[in-house]
Amino acid sequence: MSAAPSSSAAAGVDRILSEAESLKFSDHQRMLVVASEAAAQAQTLGDFYRYAVALNHQAWAYAILNRHESSLTHALEALMLARAYGYPDVEARTVNVLALNFAECGIVQEAIRLYEHQLEIGRRLEDPELTSMALHDLALVHLNEGEYETALALLQESIQLTPPTLHDGLDLSITHGNLALIFCRLDRLDDALHHAQQALALASAAESQ
């Protein structure tokens, strides 16, 4: 691949990548198809950045579909490009996918280390989306380990940083839902009910859009 694609061609790839991103919480098989198209077009253009982003979308969808070998293959290629060409935002998102795979396979300490690395990048870039994502997913690992107070502190920080319009509010809805679960485990039922109601309201609003 070579560099400097035309602005119109790059915009076309961006539209495909946006479609893939919009499918993150709905149709993972379709997300794979769309992300593969974006990867092919970016590769043809010689656009390393957008190719790495497309690889990361594919890796994420494969992870959700429990196709961990394919997910790791795509994520590691994206990570190699991110580090070789200096794309810290892509590195942060790719590390998140790697951590997800490890967490799903029960390799807890490696997942924690990777989420903490993503968190460090997000804070260094002063990127609230990357930071809140890392905090949220790190909290889930601690939640699954029964470390409720640690998970609670991480989620409470995450929810303050999550962009309210991200994925039409679904990210906030999921975070509220996980807070409700933690508060239930801590027997703080009023707090659990509050966050459950917030989660449902946000999910309903997202569905109506």
Side-chain angles (χ1 to χ4, degrees), residues 141-189:
V141 176
H142 288 289
L143 171 60
N144 290 333
E145 292 297 297
E147 299 166 355
Y148 302 134
E149 294 291 353
T150 300
L152 176 59
L154 290 166
L155 282 182
Q156 287 175 325
E157 185 178 356
S158 173
I159 207 165
Q160 297 300 317
L161 296 171
T162 304
T165 59
L166 187 62
H167 299 114
D168 297 325
L170 284 176
D171 289 72
L172 271 179
S173 174
I174 290 168
T175 305
H176 278 292
N178 286 320
L179 279 167
L181 176 59
I182 292 174
F183 281 124
C184 277
R185 299 284 173 84
L186 294 171
D187 202 28
R188 293 171 56 178
L189 300 184

Side-chain angles (χ1 to χ4, degrees), residues 8 10-12 14 51-52 55 62 66 72 78 80 82 85 89 105 112 124-125 139-141 160 163 172 192 198 206:
S8 60
D14 285 339
Y51 179 62
L55 286 172
Y62 278 127
N66 294 318
L72 290 169
M80 179 188 69
Y85 293 98
D89 58 324
C105 294
I112 289 173
R124 173 160 49 86
L125 296 176
L140 294 188
V141 176
Q160 297 300 317
L172 271 179
Q198 292 288 101

Side-chain angles (χ1 to χ4, degrees), residues 41 82 108 119 195 197 203:
Q41 290 197 21
V108 174
L119 181 57
H195 285 285
Q197 290 171 333

Side-chain angles (χ1 to χ4, degrees), residues 74-158:
H74 286 75
L76 288 171
E77 184 179 357
L79 183 62
M80 179 188 69
L81 290 169
R83 289 181 171 172
Y85 293 98
Y87 308 141
D89 58 324
V90 176
E91 178 176 350
R93 293 180 186 279
T94 304
V95 164
N96 178 274
V97 176
L98 291 169
L100 173 61
N101 278 284
F102 282 117
E104 289 291 316
C105 294
I107 309 172
V108 174
Q109 291 306 312
E110 186 64 18
I112 289 173
R113 188 186 70 80
L114 289 166
Y115 283 134
E116 287 176 344
H117 179 56
Q118 182 194 12
L119 181 57
E120 184 275 326
I121 296 174
R123 285 178 167 156
R124 173 160 49 86
L125 296 176
E126 298 182 347
D127 186 314
E129 181 180 341
L130 292 176
T131 304
S132 64
M133 182 194 308
L135 288 164
H136 175 274
D137 293 349
L138 182 57
L140 294 188
V141 176
H142 288 289
L143 171 60
N144 290 333
E145 292 297 297
E147 299 166 355
Y148 302 134
E149 294 291 353
T150 300
L152 176 59
L154 290 166
L155 282 182
Q156 287 175 325
E157 185 178 356
S158 173

